[in-house]
Amino acid sequence: MASTKPAGRASVDYTDRLYWSGIIKMSLSKFFILGMLQKRPMHGYEIAREVESATQGCCAPTEGSLYPALREFEQGGYVTAHTETVAGRGRKVYSLTDKGHKAFDVAVEAWLEVAEHIVRQKQEPAPR
């Protein structure tokens, strides 16, 4: 009898907290990047540091996730970037556009709605 499991793929352990934590953090990363840029324009390393600080280390975007997200935001018109020279080195400073501010407002509404449903699910007694 043939296996129904795809070859070469390990099955996901949905009881593993690290799995869920990774999925949630990956999803929240873009949310927190926009949130930090709500405060003021920042360069990439500063954004990563501010996200990590604001989330008390829960969400710490890496270069591999931060810069692709910033490029995506820039291409979509959610952020603009300009280069500043500091101590002889150029660095890109990102600023939210009006569209970026709106995107963050919409993201906040969506996350609050999801959080409300999660709290409600947790509070409802499970049928036995």
Side-chain angles (χ1 to χ4, degrees), residues 28-109:
L28 283 173
S29 185
K30 288 181 182 179
F31 175 81
F32 284 122
I33 292 167
L34 289 176
M36 292 306 109
L37 290 173
Q38 285 277 114
K39 297 177 181 185
R40 67 183 186 286
M42 294 183 206
H43 58 84
Y45 177 73
E46 187 178 19
I47 295 167
R49 198 176 59 226
E50 290 289 320
V51 168
E52 185 171 11
S53 175
T55 64
Q56 299 175 342
C58 174
C59 188
T62 63
E63 283 186 31
S65 64
L66 176 66
Y67 291 104
L70 287 169
R71 266 192 305 282
E72 186 179 319
F73 288 147
E74 191 174 6
Q75 290 169 349
Y78 301 96
V79 302
T80 57
H82 70 275
T83 302
E84 287 183 354
T85 304
V86 177
R89 292 185 55 186
R91 64 180 177 199
K92 250 181 163 175
V93 176
Y94 299 89
S95 302
L96 277 187
T97 63
D98 289 342
K99 187 176 179 182
H101 284 282
K102 178 160 178 46
F104 182 70
D105 291 343
V106 170
V108 168
E109 290 171 13

